[in-house]
């Protein structure tokens, strides 16, 4: 599904190159659940952002669902990720001005779904996450765990093949975190969503099928669970 | 999707009440004032364009005189238009309009009115122009020479709701006119404004009785001539042909040159297309645009400044799939919603401001929402300002790089701080220019009011005596007995705005080919002393019999013809000839916009129809009552109307006074709106710098340090604005002053005052926010980080 070959990301500082990602190659099959670990500054988030096409590598080859991403134009790339990728953030990043319902609905609006379709899809999602009662509340009125639930619902609403999560439980207490991880596992097993998550927590990493350890922009180790 | 945009936009408005209110108030004020001024401008441009054939109708004017005395005459001789129609195929029709000063009062049964809006006109007046006849025969507006066509409201005034057709109006108790037609009232935006139209044929007959044949008279220039031309006529060729006709009949007038002024231009231009009001219209147009720009800048500044606070939302929208164009639309919709609100409020505001504005501007604009012109102005203004205010912020906001924005790395370069500073400077440049304009205009008007006119016009009223003039000596003696009457004199016309002019002049030592146009005035023997005028040479009239062959020149006249030792020399103007016995010092008998013109004074007791009565001021009402009683005694039912010289003098500057008061308001509004924007920016800056302020306070900064630190950034911008505005304002106001022959010089203090005013107002605005930020408890502000 995803193939990164010799991907590097560096910044030019004076005469020297400062590598954030240093020659990483990675293959991801559909249906995998990968946890990326590593200390601060090891390049986890940058790698995730490159996979999610929010960031561009300085060099290397990037293939995704059969497309040659590094050769695509901005528009095509954004069409690609709109269609296949969902994002979940540590700080949830819900839109404060929109209700729960509207937050979940927004990606559909941008993908030109008809109003009746949107209604059905959002209702379905609210039902599935058991947040129907909260649909008219604003993010500020929700707990962190609830907000992250909405964030995940939003990421999933358009039916992505790949879910990218950047420390999804980082701002949550352990109980809430566990619930989110259970949800990820379920999504991966039952719905076949490929998941790549960045995490600091050993425990959360073990929900995945593979753990990749980064250090100084390189893959230090990779183990299949 | 639009619904979603509107919903978000509305929530944003509600959530940020402070900024929303600043934006809405600024935009509402800017739009309302901008649209009002544009209404005024549009009205000025619309003058005389309501005629169906407006494109093909021209007023015939001409250049006359030589050298310094050459000028344009709006009125022509009587025969030229008729001859043109007879001989030139491109002239389709002609209308002659003559001022009707033959009658002073009009009576129907017991109703008597004085009316000076009466004209003589050819019947073609009603077919060439679009003044529709609503009753009577449009093809034959005048039944005979003694017919009159009146306007609807005149008919109402004389006859109430009775049918006016066939009713008889008696002029001056001796001449009957039968109403043969009623025409709709002349529109406000018509240069021609009449209440009654009498047939030109009556005038011609009337003048023939005085042995003046107007049909072959090339001396009397007192008839307006309008020509309706075939489309595509060459004006240049036509004026040459008109000159040839003129010369054939009056070969001496080789210096005549005919001009054709389109009637749609006659309100704002002279026949040679020089300024007759167009400059003021342009100035107002510019002021309207400046005020609208200032209002737009507020919006752009606040929305770009605050975009930083929205970067998270925008980034998120991008990440979950928003295309740039979709975000762009979202911000356009947001701006449009705010504009819609402001526009509605502005229309309500205009509705209430209209009477005030009319009073200030001397116009009678009507806010008629069924008029498409009104909508054109409104729609154009609002869409123009919307476009100007929405595009930049929309582009800026939609082009965030989402990752950076999410991480808050964008704060420093977003919404280009420099760009915002330039906009603030621009606002204040405009505001300061308007303040300088106000100061200069006010000073010039004060200067005019206080300038020595060369004569004493205080507490003096004046009126035409009519039949009372035949008993002047008795009247004078009677009035002088009244309490409050100090002195009395008379002349043939009002001293303010003398308008008797002659170019038929001759004098001892006149060079061949030299022409000289001079103002004529006949005065009583005590006229000069009454007005406390001073003699530069010789002496005044004494009332002796031979004084009728004496005359007095003013200094300007002596200077212009280059006469040395004028006293004792011979001088002639028109048919009045005589010996110069004195030279009077120059005095202003016209607007200060004109240089003092040459004038000659005769003593001619039978021509002295205008009386001047100087009062003590306190007892002026008593003096007026006494004068009125005497007037009625000799003139019966003629309406009595008097003018105080002071008022008549002020009327000369009515236009300037309106400009001045309007400018006061415009400047105040411009600076008000600018400061609103500044208030918003200051509040925003304080908000963004909360953490910095907190740290500084922890390190020991006092309230005053912080206040000064925050204020300085903005005051600096106002200082830059002063530097930029000064030369521009100086140039613009010098241009304006050039219209005045007697004017103030622009002084440096005017810019200083304008600048200080701007700084003080700006500082007060900012310091309010700055102090608020400075006194906040640092522990609190830092904790919330």
């Amino acid at each position: 599904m995803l193939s990164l070959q010799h991907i590097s990301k560096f910044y030019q500082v004076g005469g020297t190159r400062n590598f954030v990602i240093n020659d990483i190659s990675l293959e991801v099959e559909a249906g995998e659940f990968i946890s990326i670990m590593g200390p601060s500054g090891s390049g986890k988030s940058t790698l995730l952002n490159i996979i999610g096409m929010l960031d561009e590598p300085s060099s290397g080859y990037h293939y995704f669902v059969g497309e040659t991403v590094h050769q695509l134009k901005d528009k095509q790339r954004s069409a690609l990720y709109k269609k296949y990728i969902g994002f979940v953030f540590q700080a949830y990043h819900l839109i404060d001005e929109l209700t729960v319902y509207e937050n979940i609905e927004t990606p559909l609006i941008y993908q030109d779904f008809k109003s009746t379709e949107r209604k059905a899809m959002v209702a379905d999602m609210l039902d599935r996450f058991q947040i129907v009662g909260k649909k008219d509340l604003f993010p500020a009125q929700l707990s962190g765990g609830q907000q992250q639930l909405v964030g995940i619902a939003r990421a999933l609403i358009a039916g992505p093949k790949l879910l990218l999560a950047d420390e999804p439980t980082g701002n949550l207490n352990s109980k809430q975190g566990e619930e989110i991880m259970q949800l990820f596992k379920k999504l991966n097993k039952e719905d076949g969503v490929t998941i790549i998550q960045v995490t600091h927590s050993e425990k959360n990493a073990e929900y995945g099928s593979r753990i990749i350890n980064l250090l100084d922009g390189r893959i230090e180790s990779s183990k299949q669970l | 999707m639009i619904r979603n945009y509107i919903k978000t936009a509305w929530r944003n408005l509600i959530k940020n009440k402070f900024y929303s209110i600043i934006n809405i108030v600024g935009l509402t004020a800017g739009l309302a004032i901008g649209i009002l001024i544009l209404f005024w401008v549009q009205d000025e441009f619309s003058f005389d364009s309501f005629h169906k054939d407006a494109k093909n109708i021209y007023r015939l004017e001409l250049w006359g005189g030589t050298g310094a005395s050459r000028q344009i005459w709006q009125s022509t001789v009587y025969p030229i238009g008729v001859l043109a129609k007879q001989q030139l195929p491109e002239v389709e029709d002609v209308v002659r309009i003559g001022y009707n000063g033959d009658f002073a009062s009009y009576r129907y049964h017991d109703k008597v009115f004085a009316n000076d809006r009466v004209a003589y006109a050819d019947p073609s007046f009603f077919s060439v122009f679009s003044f529709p006849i609503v009753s009577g025969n449009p093809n034959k507006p005048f039944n005979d020479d003694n017919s009159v066509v009146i306007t609807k409201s005149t008919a109402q005034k004389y006859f109430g709701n009775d049918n006016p057709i066939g009713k008889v109006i008696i002029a001056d108790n001796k001449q009957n006119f039968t109403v043969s037609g009623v025409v709709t009232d002349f529109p406000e935006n018509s240069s021609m404004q009449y209440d009654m139209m009498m047939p030109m044929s009556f005038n011609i007959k009337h003048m023939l009785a005085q042995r003046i044949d107007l049909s072959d008279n090339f001396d009397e220039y007192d008839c307006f001539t309008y020509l309706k031309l075939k489309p595509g006529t060459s004006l240049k060729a036509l004026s040459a042909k008109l000159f040839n006709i003129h010369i054939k009949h009056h070969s001496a007038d080789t210096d005549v040159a005919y001009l054709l002024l389109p009637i749609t231009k006659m309100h704002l231009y002279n026949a040679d297309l020089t300024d007759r009001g167009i400059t003021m219209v342009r100035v107002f147009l510019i002021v309207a645009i400046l005020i609208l720009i200032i209002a737009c800048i507020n919006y752009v500044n606040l929305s770009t400044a605050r975009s930083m606070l929205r970067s998270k939302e925008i980034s998120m929208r991008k990440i979950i799939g928003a295309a740039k164009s979709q975000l762009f639309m979202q911000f356009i919709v947001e701006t449009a919603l705010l504009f819609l609100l402001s526009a509605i409020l502005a229309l309500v505001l205009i509705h209430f401001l209209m009477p005030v504005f009319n009073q200030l501007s001397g116009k009678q604009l009507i806010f008629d929402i069924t008029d498409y012109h009104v909508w054109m102005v409104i729609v154009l203004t609002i869409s123009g300002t919307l476009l100007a205010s929405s595009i930049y912020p929309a582009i800026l906001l939609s082009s965030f790089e989402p990752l950076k924005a999410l991480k808050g790395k964008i704060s420093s370069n977003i919404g280009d701080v420099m760009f915002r500073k330039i906009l603030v400077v621009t606002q204040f440049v405009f505001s300061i220019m308007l303040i300088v304009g106000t100061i200069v205009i006010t000073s010039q008007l004060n200067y005019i009011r206080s300038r020595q006119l060369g004569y004493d016009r205080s507490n003096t009223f004046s009126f035409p005596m009519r039949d009372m003039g035949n008993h002047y000596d008795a009247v004078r003696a009677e009035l002088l007995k009244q309490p409050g009457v100090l002195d009395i004199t008379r002349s043939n016309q009002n001293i303010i705005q003398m308008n008797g002019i002659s170019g038929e002049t001759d004098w001892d030592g006149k060079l061949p080919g030299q022409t000289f146009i001079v103002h004529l005035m006949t005065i009583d023997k005590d006229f000069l002393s009454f007005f406390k005028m001073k003699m530069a040479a010789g002496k005044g009239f004494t009332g002796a019999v031979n004084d009728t062959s004496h005359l007095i020149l003013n200094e300007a006249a002596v200077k212009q013809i280059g006469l040395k030792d004028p006293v004792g020399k011979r001088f002639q103007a028109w048919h009045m000839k005589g010996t110069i016995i004195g030279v009077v010092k120059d005095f202003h008998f016209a607007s200060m916009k004109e240089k003092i013109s040459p004038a000659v004074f005769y003593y001619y007791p039978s021509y002295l129809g205008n009386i001047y009565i100087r009062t003590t001021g306190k007892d002026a009402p008593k003096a007026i009552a006494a004068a009125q009683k005497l007037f009625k005694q000799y003139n019966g039912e003629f309406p009595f109307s008097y003018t105080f010289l002071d008022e008549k003098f002020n009327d000369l500057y009515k236009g300037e006074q309106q400009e001045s008061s309007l400018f006061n308001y415009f400047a105040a509004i411009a600076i008000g709106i600018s400061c609103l924007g500044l208030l918003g920016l200051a509040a925003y800056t304080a908000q963004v710098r909360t953490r910095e302020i907190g740290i500084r306070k922890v390190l020991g900064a006092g309230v005053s340090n912080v206040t000064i630190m925050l204020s300085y950034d903005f005051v600096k911008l106002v200082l830059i604005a002063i530097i930029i505005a000064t030369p521009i304002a100086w140039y613009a106001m010098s241009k304006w002053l050039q219209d005045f022959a007697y004017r103030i010089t622009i002084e440096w203090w005017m810019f200083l005052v304008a600048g200080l005013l701007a700084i003080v107002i700006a500082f007060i605005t900012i310091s309010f926010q700055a102090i608020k930020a400075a006194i906040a408890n640092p522990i609190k502000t830092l904790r919330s980080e």
Side-chain angles (χ1 to χ4, degrees):
Chain A
M1 164 181 237
L2 170 75
S3 167
L4 300 180
Q5 287 166 19
H6 306 291
I7 291 284
S8 290
K9 173 89 184 171
F10 53 79
Y11 297 97
Q12 201 82 29
V13 181
T16 58
R17 284 175 172 182
N18 222 340
F19 282 87
V20 185
I21 301 285
N22 198 347
D23 192 26
I24 284 185
S25 297
L26 177 67
E27 301 289 329
V28 180
E29 298 300 325
E32 275 196 280
F33 184 168
I34 298 175
S35 300
I36 301 174
M37 296 193 71
S40 291
S42 60
K44 305 183 297 289
S45 292
T46 308
L47 182 63
L48 198 71
N49 288 335
I50 288 173
I51 293 171
M53 298 174 217
L54 292 177
D55 208 347
E56 277 182 69
S58 309
S59 65
Y61 307 97
H62 182 183
Y63 305 93
F64 181 64
V65 291
E67 301 277 349
T68 317
V69 177
H70 55 268
Q71 285 175 351
L72 293 180
K73 295 201 181 89
D74 269 354
K75 260 215 175 111
Q76 297 165 313
R77 202 179 298 157
S78 92
L80 195 65
Y81 92 66
K82 231 170 129 154
K83 195 170 164 199
Y84 291 107
I85 298 177
F87 261 102
V88 176
F89 298 91
Q90 176 179 7
Y92 334 126
H93 288 326
L94 298 178
I95 297 172
D96 296 337
E97 287 77 18
L98 300 181
T99 61
V100 165
Y101 183 97
E102 288 157 355
N103 261 295
I104 298 173
E105 184 192 24
T106 307
L108 298 178
I109 292 174
Y110 291 132
Q111 291 181 42
D112 295 327
F113 280 88
K114 285 202 190 71
S115 162
T116 45
E117 283 180 279
R118 294 204 301 263
K119 246 180 217 161
M121 290 165 84
V122 177
D124 190 44
M125 190 61 75
L126 288 168
D127 213 27
R128 195 164 138 201
F129 282 47
Q130 292 166 6
I131 45 176
V132 179
K134 308 252 185 310
K135 74 179 167 68
D136 291 325
L137 297 181
F138 287 92
Q141 297 165 301
L142 301 177
S143 73
Q146 288 166 335
Q147 286 191 50
Q148 192 59 296
L149 220 48
V150 176
I152 296 167
R154 182 179 66 182
L156 292 175
I157 187 71
K161 295 275 174 288
L162 175 64
L163 187 66
L164 301 176
D166 194 351
E167 301 195 40
T169 59
N171 284 15
L172 303 178
N173 63 34
S174 58
K175 185 168 169 283
Q176 288 169 331
E178 203 164 311
E179 279 167 17
I180 297 293
M181 281 302 115
Q182 288 297 346
L183 179 63
F184 272 21
K185 194 161 184 179
K186 198 169 149 224
L187 284 170
N188 179 247
K189 283 265 150 25
E190 292 174 14
D191 300 298
V193 179
T194 312
I195 297 175
I196 303 176
Q197 67 163 347
V198 164
T199 180
H200 275 300
S201 147
E202 204 72 56
K203 193 171 152 238
N204 286 345
E206 280 161 13
Y207 282 89
S209 55
R210 175 151 60 129
I211 295 175
I212 295 171
N213 271 298
L214 292 192
L215 186 66
D216 298 335
R218 293 173 191 276
I219 294 178
E220 193 198 34
S221 69
S222 171
K223 71 173 174 192
Q224 206 76 29
L225 293 174
Chain B
M1 184 156 352
I2 285 282
R3 241 189 56 211
N4 187 276
Y5 290 163
I6 292 175
K7 207 155 50 184
T8 327
W10 179 251
R11 286 188 193 143
N12 258 315
L13 272 183
I14 299 295
K15 191 173 154 203
N16 306 297
K17 282 194 191 67
F18 176 70
Y19 294 100
S20 303
I21 287 171
I22 285 186
N23 266 329
I24 290 174
V25 169
L27 271 176
T28 302
L31 282 175
I33 301 303
I35 289 174
L36 269 180
I37 303 174
L38 289 177
F39 279 157
W40 183 92
V41 169
Q42 191 215 18
D43 184 66
E44 286 289 304
F45 278 125
S46 76
F47 264 71
D48 302 309
S49 56
F50 57 87
H51 299 292
K52 215 171 85 257
D53 293 320
K55 275 203 308 252
N56 300 318
I57 307 174
Y58 295 81
R59 183 161 71 198
L60 190 57
E61 304 192 9
L62 55 97
W63 280 105
T66 53
S69 64
R70 190 166 174 79
Q71 61 169 316
I72 290 176
W73 300 82
Q74 284 182 355
S75 46
T76 62
V77 295
Y78 281 84
I80 188 72
V82 179
L83 291 170
K85 192 191 169 188
Q86 282 165 5
Q87 298 177 13
L88 307 173
E90 62 266 46
V91 178
E92 282 188 347
D93 213 340
V94 56
V95 185
R96 290 171 303 168
I97 303 170
Y99 171 66
N100 182 340
D102 294 330
F103 309 105
S105 77
Y106 300 89
R107 184 164 68 82
Y108 175 73
H109 291 317
D110 54 341
K111 290 183 186 164
V112 184
F113 299 102
N115 205 330
D116 53 4
R117 302 211 307 180
V118 182
Y120 292 119
D122 288 319
S124 54
F125 182 88
F126 299 99
S127 55
V128 169
F129 299 124
S130 303
F131 297 121
I133 289 190
V134 286
S135 50
N137 180 358
N139 298 319
K140 198 170 186 305
F142 302 117
N143 289 332
D144 53 35
D145 292 347
N146 287 61
S147 297
V148 61
V149 174
I150 60 178
T151 61
K152 250 182 179 170
S153 47
T154 310
Q156 180 73 29
K157 197 166 87 171
Y158 281 84
F159 313 115
N161 291 326
D162 296 349
N163 179 12
I165 301 293
K167 295 260 185 334
V168 176
I169 291 174
I170 306 166
D172 280 5
N173 273 338
K174 58 187 183 202
Q175 188 70 54
N176 289 0
F177 287 95
T178 310
V179 177
S180 60
V182 176
V183 70
T184 51
D185 286 348
F186 288 39
E188 290 287 348
N189 60 351
S190 167
S191 297
M192 289 176 262
Q193 292 289 345
Y194 300 110
D195 296 326
M196 295 198 221
M197 314 291 296
M198 292 174 179
M200 183 57 85
S201 50
F202 176 89
N203 185 31
I204 290 171
K205 219 167 71 180
H206 183 71
M207 294 300 280
L208 259 180
Q210 299 172 42
R211 268 170 275 140
I212 295 174
D213 180 8
L214 290 179
S215 63
D216 190 34
N217 183 306
F218 279 80
D219 295 314
E220 304 273 342
Y221 285 82
D222 54 3
C223 133
F224 292 111
T225 303
Y226 292 89
L227 300 179
K228 185 181 160 194
L229 305 179
K230 287 218 168 86
T233 302
S234 155
L235 300 182
K236 218 172 159 188
L238 180 59
S239 66
K241 289 178 196 169
L242 289 165
F243 173 75
N244 288 336
I245 294 174
H246 188 112
I247 282 294
K248 216 185 279 171
H249 289 81
H250 205 259
S251 54
D253 291 345
T254 51
D255 53 4
V256 159
Y258 276 98
L259 295 162
L260 290 146
L261 177 63
I263 57 162
T264 49
K265 283 195 168 165
M266 66 186 181
H267 178 64
L268 294 175
Y269 294 91
N270 292 315
D272 59 348
L273 297 183
T274 52
D275 172 42
R276 189 188 164 77
I278 184 70
T279 308
M280 208 51 218
V281 173
R282 290 202 184 114
V283 167
F284 273 38
L285 183 63
I286 291 169
V287 168
I289 292 171
L290 291 190
I291 288 180
L292 288 172
I293 292 177
I294 288 175
C296 289
I297 287 178
N298 269 3
Y299 180 80
V300 172
N301 260 346
L302 281 180
S303 56
T304 54
R306 302 200 58 258
S307 61
M308 186 188 143
L309 303 175
R310 292 188 63 181
S311 56
K312 195 192 119 193
E313 176 207 335
I314 296 153
S315 315
M316 247 357 271
R317 284 182 182 275
K318 279 202 156 177
I319 288 170
I320 58 180
K324 205 166 162 177
S325 61
Q326 288 166 322
L327 283 174
F328 184 82
M329 268 317 290
Q330 185 192 335
F331 294 116
I332 299 277
V333 168
E334 251 174 55
T335 312
L337 183 73
L338 195 87
F339 265 70
L340 190 72
L341 276 177
S342 307
I344 292 168
L345 288 172
L347 293 186
V348 174
L349 194 61
I350 289 171
H351 176 76
F352 287 109
L353 282 181
M354 200 58 124
V356 185
F357 183 75
N358 277 338
Q359 204 187 352
L360 284 174
S361 65
K363 274 217 184 282
Q364 263 134 36
L365 300 175
I366 301 160
F367 185 39
D368 177 8
I369 52 167
T370 58
D371 183 358
Y372 80 97
H373 284 113
V374 167
W375 282 108
M376 224 166 63
V377 169
I378 293 172
V379 169
L380 276 179
T381 312
I382 292 175
S383 48
T385 43
L386 175 60
L387 212 65
S389 333
S390 59
I391 288 191
Y392 178 73
I395 289 176
L396 182 88
L397 288 170
S398 55
S399 59
F400 278 172
E401 280 184 57
L403 264 190
K404 281 189 189 156
L406 269 188
K407 287 181 189 154
K409 276 186 187 163
I410 216 148
S411 58
S412 57
N413 58 5
I414 198 167
D416 205 340
V417 180
M418 196 60 206
F419 179 73
R420 268 201 310 275
K421 283 183 175 167
I422 291 171
L423 288 183
V424 171
V425 169
T426 312
Q427 279 185 317
F428 274 86
V429 167
F430 294 166
S431 303
I432 292 164
M433 277 164 56
L434 287 174
I435 298 176
V436 171
T438 308
I439 295 174
V440 172
I441 293 173
T442 313
S443 317
Q444 171 68 14
L445 290 182
N446 286 340
Y447 169 77
I448 290 172
R449 274 193 217 110
S450 60
R451 193 183 145 88
Q452 292 298 321
L453 292 175
Y455 66 94
D456 181 5
R457 63 168 198 272
S458 62
N459 301 324
T460 303
F461 67 96
S462 164
F463 57 91
M465 292 186 284
R466 299 194 55 81
D467 292 346
M468 181 178 153
N470 302 333
H471 311 273
Y472 176 71
D473 290 332
V475 166
R476 186 171 196 272
E478 175 67 25
L479 280 175
L480 279 174
K481 276 190 258 168
Q482 301 297 325
V485 174
L486 291 177
D487 200 4
I488 295 172
T489 189
R490 56 184 173 152
S491 70
N492 69 326
Q493 56 184 323
N494 202 308
I495 186 169
I496 290 170
Q497 271 191 315
M498 286 165 52
N499 40 26
I501 285 182
S502 175
E504 289 178 59
T505 45
D506 194 19
W507 61 92
D508 282 344
K510 182 182 179 179
L511 301 169
Q514 193 177 0
T515 63
F516 176 55
I517 291 181
V518 68
H519 285 265
L520 293 152
M521 191 172 190
T522 50
I523 57 174
D524 207 349
K525 56 182 186 289
D526 49 8
F527 183 88
L528 298 181
S529 62
F530 177 93
F531 283 110
K532 303 195 178 94
M533 294 173 185
K534 300 216 167 55
M535 299 302 289
K539 54 184 173 41
F541 300 121
T542 57
V545 183
N546 65 352
D547 260 357
T548 51
S549 62
H550 291 160
L551 52 87
I552 296 170
L553 294 180
N554 70 353
E555 289 175 310
V558 173
K559 207 170 144 199
Q560 220 178 85
I561 56 177
L563 214 52
K564 286 203 177 101
D565 300 325
V567 176
K569 296 250 166 63
R570 191 185 55 81
F571 185 88
Q572 178 188 355
W574 194 35
H575 64 259
M576 317 274 272
K577 41 180 110 172
T579 314
I580 302 167
I581 57 161
V583 176
V584 66
K585 285 205 167 197
D586 279 341
F587 63 92
H588 288 278
F589 51 80
S591 162
M592 295 263 180
K593 285 195 165 183
E594 294 154 32
K595 274 219 172 314
I596 294 173
S597 303
V600 57
F601 302 91
Y602 294 91
Y603 173 66
Y604 228 82
S606 56
Y607 279 15
L608 302 172
N610 204 60
I611 192 169
Y612 302 87
I613 300 170
R614 172 158 294 137
T615 69
T616 52
K618 190 165 60 88
D619 286 325
K622 281 184 194 161
I624 291 167
Q628 179 166 20
K629 204 172 136 235
L630 280 165
F631 183 88
K632 289 278 169 201
Q633 186 182 324
Y634 294 108
N635 289 319
E637 65 195 8
F638 279 110
F640 173 75
S641 78
Y642 63 90
T643 45
F644 270 92
L645 295 190
D646 268 337
E647 284 169 23
K648 201 159 167 64
F649 176 80
N650 283 337
D651 275 355
L652 293 179
Y653 307 102
K654 213 168 150 193
E656 283 78 11
Q657 254 145 21
Q658 282 165 357
E659 284 168 28
S660 157
S661 61
L662 282 175
F663 252 88
N664 273 323
Y665 287 102
F666 295 161
I669 286 157
I671 196 141
I673 300 174
S674 302
C675 282
L676 261 184
L678 208 55
L679 180 71
L681 272 187
Y684 161 78
T685 310
Q687 189 183 344
V688 173
R689 291 173 78 173
T690 307
R691 187 165 164 270
E692 177 198 340
I693 294 166
I695 295 171
R696 279 178 191 274
K697 283 190 79 176
V698 170
L699 294 177
V703 171
S704 60
N705 299 47
V706 174
T707 307
I708 289 168
M709 178 190 84
L710 286 175
S711 307
Y712 176 70
D713 277 350
F714 289 106
V715 172
K716 200 170 61 189
L717 299 182
V718 180
L719 281 173
I720 295 170
I722 293 172
I723 293 166
I724 296 172
T726 299
I728 306 175
W730 180 84
Y731 174 78
M733 292 325 290
S734 311
K735 276 253 173 215
W736 183 81
L737 282 173
Q738 269 168 17
D739 268 1
F740 291 87
Y742 303 92
R743 55 183 179 248
I744 53 165
T745 46
I746 299 177
E747 312 256 5
W748 59 269
W749 64 260
M750 294 173 178
F751 300 99
L752 193 74
V753 168
L756 276 178
L757 201 64
I759 287 186
V760 168
I761 295 173
F763 184 76
I764 292 171
T765 311
I766 301 155
S767 58
F768 177 72
Q769 285 300 326
I771 291 171
K772 207 173 101 187
I775 57 180
N777 185 342
I779 305 294
K780 248 185 196 162
T781 56
L782 287 179
R783 190 192 294 147
S784 75
E785 264 296 306

